[in-house]
Structures are given as structure tokens and as C-alpha cells.
Amino acid sequence: MMFHHRNVVRAAAGAILLLCAATAALAQSWPAKPITIVVAYPAGGDTDAIARAYAEKLAQRVGQPVLIDNRPGASGMIGNAWVAKAPADGYTLLFTPSTFPIAQHVLKAGPGVAHDVVKDFTPIVKTGNIPVLMVTAPASGIQNVAQLVAGARAGKAFTYGTPGAGSPMHIAGELFNKDAGIAVAHAPYRGVAPVVNDTLGGHVSVGWITPGAVAGHIAAGKLVPLAVAERQRTKLMPSVPTFLELGYRDMDVSAWMGLLGPKAMPAEVVQTLNRHFNEILKMPDVQARMAALGIEPVGGAPAVLAQQISDDDQRFGKLVREFGIRAD
């Protein structure tokens, strides 16, 4: 019996050594074939556009094609689930916006798309922050946040538009209602463009949006930024105050983008990807492209993205339940 036990232990130890050797060999040879980055949203949007810019730079650095695979649907959950089930070899990655930890709380996922954003993925790098703005058209007569709050408290029927139920903008709108003690009605749209158009046209009183979608309209005087839901003013629009400056203490709801892979990716591959992306994010042409899309570069260690996802999963899950937020 003792002899058998020793053989089992030796066999297990040998298997572990072989696995470690295989992992090390994979890391040293990676990448030996094209890399696929899944974008769980349609081609042509901001997430897709910046993912393609990153993919081009990464391909130049690793000497292999880097392909974008658009797998839209269910607020990103279809593409997310695809990556969660992929081999953890560094050849299938996920580039995602910050709806990633929110969607699972807003939608009822079927067995084919269910996943855990903390346990089923390997965070690689947080590529950028995207400030969330409240904007209005000059014709609305709303000149600042205080005026909006005073009007709402006096019984005026204001509305706020967002790109969709369960979006960071929707959560920002409900947090603002709670923080200000008002009840501005939510008008959910399907995407960014309709929110911008209806805010311009006065069909909603204010719109919750990101800078890249409205920078041109603001520069032309067609829209007025009222405040930004960040802890600090954004470098993209430094003259716009934060809600925190204005006394609304819970208004920290910036969006973000990041790169992940399936769980249990080799540490060496994660470190290599992280290093490449941190250097890509410092490139002037990449930073210019990000600024045009309203994205602030971040970078840093994988732990930065891991913490962001964990924090958002807990915080936004609680808020979704509190506000009764459901999909459109």
C-alpha cells in the first residue's frame, strides 16, 4: 500500500512538472499564430474603433496578425461568454467597455451565455477611462446643475436620455436623482447617436453621454456640458466641474475599457500583453485617437483592471437592484 501511495505521489509530481514545462514553453513561443480579440459589440462603434487601433499596434509588435471578431448581442454577454469558454492560451482575448460587470445584473442570462466576470476571466490591462457627462441644449433653458435641480423640485417635468437601460449613464442618472432628491424621468435609447440627436432637438431635457460623442457639438455651442461624473475633472474637458465639486457626493460613475482573457491564462503571456499595451498607450498617435473618442489612457498592472471589475460588480450590482433597473 505504501509503495502504491509513493507511485501515485511521484506520478502527480511528474504531471505537475510536465504542465509547468508546457506552460513555460507556451509563454516562450507565444505568439506562434494569429491572435483574436473579441469585441462583443457591432463593428463601427467606439469600442470597435479603438480595439482596431490597438490591434494594429499589437500586431506590429508581436509579428503576428491580430484579428477583431465582433460578436454582439445581449449587452456584450454573448461575446463575453464566448471568450470565457475559449482555451486559455493567449490567442482569444476580450476587449470590453464597462458594461462588462453591469450586464449580468441587468439581463437574465441563459445557460449558453452565463458567466462570472470575476471568476471566469483573466484581467490583462485597463486601457482607458471614459468620463460620463450630463449635457443639455441651450434652448432647454438649463444653464447649470443647480437650475435643473431647482426646476425639478418645483415640479417641472424634466427627462434624461441615456444609451440604454443598465448602461453606466443610466446608473449615473438614477444616482443623481437619489443624490439630489429629485425624480427626473429616464428616456432610454438604443445607442449613443439617438441620445445626442434628441438632446440637440430638445426631446429630452438633458443627456448622459461620453465626451467623444458630443465634443464637436459642444465646441459649436450646440450643447452645453453641465458636469462630469468623475472624482476629478477630465483632461478632455478641464473647464467642466465634477458633480462632487457641486456637492453630489455619490456621483463617481466613469466608464472604462479593458482587455481580458479566459481564466487561468499563463502569467508570462499576461505579463507580455500587459507590457505591450502599456507601451502602446503611450504612443502619441494612439493617445490622439483615444482623445478623439473621449477616452483617457490608463494602463498599469493587471491588478488595476481586476480591482475595477470587482468593485463595479459589487457596487453596480447593488445599485441595479436598488433602482430596479432592467433591460430595455
Side-chain angles (χ1 to χ4, degrees):
M1 181 67 75
M2 181 63 71
F3 177 76
H4 174 71
H5 176 71
R6 287 175 179 171
N7 282 346
V8 170
V9 171
R10 287 171 183 167
I16 292 171
L17 288 172
L18 286 173
L19 178 61
C20 292
T23 301
L26 169 65
Q28 289 172 5
S29 64
W30 184 93
K33 62 181 182 179
I35 300 164
T36 297
I37 298 178
V38 172
V39 173
Y41 295 88
D46 287 358
T47 303
D48 176 74
I50 198 61
R52 291 180 187 276
Y54 296 149
E56 180 182 352
K57 296 296 186 183
L58 182 61
Q60 293 170 359
R61 297 174 68 87
V62 301
Q64 289 286 350
V66 180
L67 312 174
I68 298 297
D69 182 8
N70 296 97
R71 292 183 173 269
S75 294
M77 293 186 70
I78 290 175
N80 300 348
W82 176 269
V83 174
K85 296 172 184 176
D89 54 10
Y91 291 102
T92 304
L93 307 173
L94 175 70
F95 184 72
T96 181
S98 55
T99 48
F100 176 70
I102 301 174
Q104 63 178 353
H105 298 289
V106 177
L107 297 171
K108 289 185 177 180
V113 297
H115 54 270
D116 188 304
V117 296
V118 174
K119 296 178 181 178
D120 294 340
F121 297 86
T122 300
I124 298 170
V125 64
K126 180 180 176 183
T127 59
N129 271 332
I130 311 169
V132 175
L133 297 168
M134 179 195 280
V135 300
T136 190
S140 72
I142 300 169
Q143 298 178 349
N144 52 53
V145 172
Q147 194 173 41
L148 171 66
V149 172
R153 288 175 178 171
K156 290 187 178 180
F158 292 137
T159 55
Y160 75 88
T162 74
S167 64
M169 297 79 173
H170 183 192
I171 292 173
E174 290 306 308
L175 268 176
F176 176 66
N177 273 345
K178 178 183 177 182
D179 220 5
I182 58 177
V184 178
H186 180 216
Y189 291 84
R190 294 190 178 274
V192 170
V195 180
V196 176
N197 290 337
D198 273 15
T199 306
L200 285 165
H203 300 294
V204 291
S205 310
V206 297
W208 286 92
I209 207 70
T210 53
V214 293
H217 296 303
I218 290 172
K222 295 180 180 180
L223 286 175
V224 179
L226 299 177
V228 59
E230 292 250 321
R231 290 201 172 277
Q232 298 178 338
R233 294 192 182 200
T234 172
K235 296 177 182 177
L236 300 170
M237 296 181 178
S239 64
V240 181
T242 68
F243 282 96
L244 274 70
E245 287 178 59
L246 301 177
Y248 300 98
R249 56 185 175 80
D250 292 329
M251 295 303 298
D252 177 20
V253 195
S254 63
W256 50 266
M257 292 180 171
L259 184 74
L260 306 98
K263 66 179 179 181
M265 276 180 62
E268 293 85 351
V269 174
V270 174
Q271 290 165 7
T272 299
L273 279 164
N274 179 270
R275 184 183 73 251
H276 281 307
F277 267 82
N278 271 289
E279 293 174 3
I280 289 168
L281 292 171
K282 294 175 183 176
M283 295 179 177
D285 58 332
V286 171
Q287 292 190 347
R289 179 66 175 141
M290 293 176 72
L293 293 170
I295 308 168
E296 300 172 333
V298 177
V304 174
L305 179 57
Q307 190 65 55
Q308 181 77 66
I309 292 170
S310 177
D311 289 349
D312 283 3
D313 178 43
Q314 294 179 43
R315 183 187 181 208
F316 291 137
K318 179 180 177 182
L319 291 173
V320 164
R321 292 188 295 272
E322 179 182 342
F323 298 138
I325 292 174
R326 293 291 180 266
D328 296 350

